[in-house]
Amino acid sequence: MSDLATAAPGQTLGSAVAHVAAEAATVPRTRVRREPAPYSSPYLAGVGVGIVLLLAFVLMGRGLGASGAFSSVVAAAVETAAPTHAAGNAFYTQYLGNGGASPLEDWLVFEIIGVVIGGLASGLLTGRVRWTTEHGPAITSRRRLANAFVGGTVMGIGAKLARGCTSGLGLTGGATLSVGSWLFIIAAFAGAYAAAPLLRKAWR
Amino acid sequence: MMAPFYELGRFGDSTGLVIAVLLGIAFGWFLEQGGMGNARKLSGQFYLTDLSVLKLMFSAILTAMLGLFWLSWAGLLDLSRVYVPETFVAPQLVGGLVFGVGFVVGGLCPGTSCVAAATGRRDGFALIAGMLAGVFVFGEAFPVIGGFANSTARGAWTLPQALGLSHGTVVGIIVAAALGAFAGAEWLERRAERPARSTRVGV
């Protein structure tokens, strides 16, 4: 009888038992699905990226990048599929070198392999690795994947026209005070803010 | 001891590739720590609700820029041996605009898409596939648009040269501008948080 007294007011014994049972059933699930840790301060993460970038300058005399690695992969694929076609195109040949080493034996390709390892390690240690699709509440996962593909295609064209992206021009060129890099940064933000109102439904 | 070490022949290409992987690991680590592998978080930049992209990017630029300035001032680094991305005025302005539009549609940039994919985000994989397609389209179109892409070349042109100011003055201006941008970002985030609580009027 004294056990009943501990039940919350308005709660029947039956519902209290059901609640306890439901909680017990969720125990193994919560053990597997760890709560993701909150992201760290963007200022601190930025200083970390800045130190890595400075180390690249000091050790290698060059900065970080990303889109160049995509170019090497595409150039290598085109060369494998159609060697004469690749050899006759000045865009591909700048990534192919003069025979010998594979075009994938490239500094940025190795750096991007590192980025994947580092991102995965950080995600695993903070419980943030999830097989999921990040999308706004008003669109479906499928729509989001289509948008990501189209956005990636547009960005690939823009990055190659500008000879770099947010890493190679934004970070590396920003820190080395390259005029073209700062023009790119300003133009990229201008393009993004001009397009943002049209894509509000995809994100908000 | 004088840097950059690779440029001055202190080690070879294979050591350089090992360094590439190690620096990449640290780069990916800090991008993930800052939330850059999450497209929903990144998109907050364009709707002025979460300005982490701006804060992270400019903190990184300030750190590396000041490091280069001080190491060169102390005579520990030969700045003339550090690669400066070359300027092509017109294609970089047009390419930047196109890139910015793609950034809002895709929600991730080329580097952060690799972090997104590494942490299981399907949209990261879709963006990587799109990037590869875009680079292929550009490559196939190169015989036609190559002329424009190579136009208005200015070589390794820096802001101190263009503005006729000393290296230190330009560094000072950028530090001041970035600190102002950080203050503005904090103000925008506070403003975005307030009405969201009281008035919940749809999209």
Side-chain angles (χ1 to χ4, degrees):
Chain A
M1 275 299 141
S2 61
D3 279 9
L4 260 181
T6 61
Q11 193 181 29
T12 65
L13 183 59
S15 80
V17 169
H19 182 70
V20 170
E23 223 170 4
T26 60
V27 165
R29 266 193 77 204
T30 48
R31 213 171 272 162
V32 178
R33 290 206 105 198
R34 209 179 115 197
E35 265 314 290
Y39 293 118
S40 60
S41 150
Y43 296 116
L44 274 180
V47 170
V49 170
I51 291 170
V52 177
L53 180 56
L54 184 61
L55 274 173
F57 289 134
V58 168
L59 294 171
M60 300 300 303
R62 65 177 293 167
L64 302 168
S67 59
F70 288 84
S71 309
S72 293
V73 170
V74 171
V78 174
E79 191 193 33
T80 308
T84 44
H85 177 67
N89 182 309
F91 174 72
Y92 297 130
T93 50
Q94 60 179 316
Y95 296 97
L96 295 175
N98 302 318
S102 158
L104 298 178
E105 216 171 283
D106 170 77
W107 202 84
L108 283 179
V109 172
F110 277 61
E111 182 230 72
I112 284 296
I113 292 168
V115 167
V116 171
I117 299 169
L120 177 63
S122 171
L124 284 174
L125 287 169
T126 52
R128 291 196 286 252
V129 174
R130 289 282 142 84
W131 185 245
T132 182
T133 305
E134 300 287 350
H135 61 87
I139 61 165
T140 61
S141 293
R142 254 178 111 168
R143 183 61 200 270
R144 165 71 187 123
L145 293 179
N147 281 358
F149 182 83
V150 172
T153 307
V154 173
M155 248 189 298
I157 295 167
K160 286 304 105 187
L161 199 52
R163 290 158 199 261
C165 61
T166 14
S167 303
L169 286 177
L171 298 176
T172 301
T176 55
L177 309 178
S178 153
V179 175
S181 292
W182 281 93
L183 293 177
F184 170 82
I185 295 170
I186 293 163
F189 274 98
Y193 281 108
L198 303 169
L199 285 142
R200 205 177 167 80
K201 192 175 168 271
W203 296 113
R204 313 316 295 171
Chain B
M1 209 175 65
M2 190 75 173
F5 301 132
Y6 172 80
E7 275 291 304
L8 298 170
R10 294 296 170 82
F11 53 81
D13 286 342
S14 43
T15 308
L17 291 180
V18 174
I19 289 171
V21 175
L22 295 176
L23 290 177
I25 290 173
F27 186 26
W29 172 276
F30 286 117
L31 286 177
E32 204 287 327
Q33 287 286 318
M36 298 296 110
N38 185 332
R40 287 205 73 186
K41 186 173 171 65
L42 257 77
S43 71
Q45 176 69 43
F46 308 119
Y47 300 99
L48 304 177
T49 54
D50 180 337
L51 285 90
S52 296
V53 173
L54 179 132
K55 293 183 201 173
L56 188 145
M57 200 171 160
F58 282 90
S59 303
I61 290 175
L62 287 196
T63 305
M65 178 185 71
L66 288 169
L68 282 180
F69 179 69
W70 284 324
L71 286 175
S72 141
W73 177 80
L76 295 170
L77 177 120
D78 181 358
L79 213 51
S80 71
R81 302 298 286 265
V82 172
Y83 168 75
V84 176
E86 285 178 46
T87 295
F88 293 81
V89 178
Q92 275 161 344
L93 282 173
V94 175
L97 283 170
V98 172
F99 185 90
V101 172
F103 199 171
V104 181
V105 177
L108 295 158
C109 68
T112 55
S113 69
C114 298
V115 176
T119 50
R121 268 59 176 187
R122 292 189 196 91
D123 44 314
F125 286 99
L127 195 121
I128 289 172
M131 269 292 295
L132 293 171
V135 172
F136 178 67
V137 168
F138 181 85
E140 292 305 306
F142 193 75
V144 181
I145 55 174
F148 175 68
N150 289 327
S151 69
T152 53
R154 297 286 182 277
W157 194 29
T158 64
L159 290 174
Q161 291 165 356
L163 301 171
L165 298 169
S166 74
H167 187 186
T169 308
V170 173
V171 166
I173 291 170
I174 291 176
V175 170
L179 294 179
F182 293 157
E186 295 299 329
W187 179 80
L188 283 168
E189 285 181 357
R190 275 199 307 276
R191 201 189 64 153
E193 227 167 84
R194 245 178 277 139
R197 282 200 197 114
S198 50
T199 53
R200 281 202 154 258
V201 196
V203 196

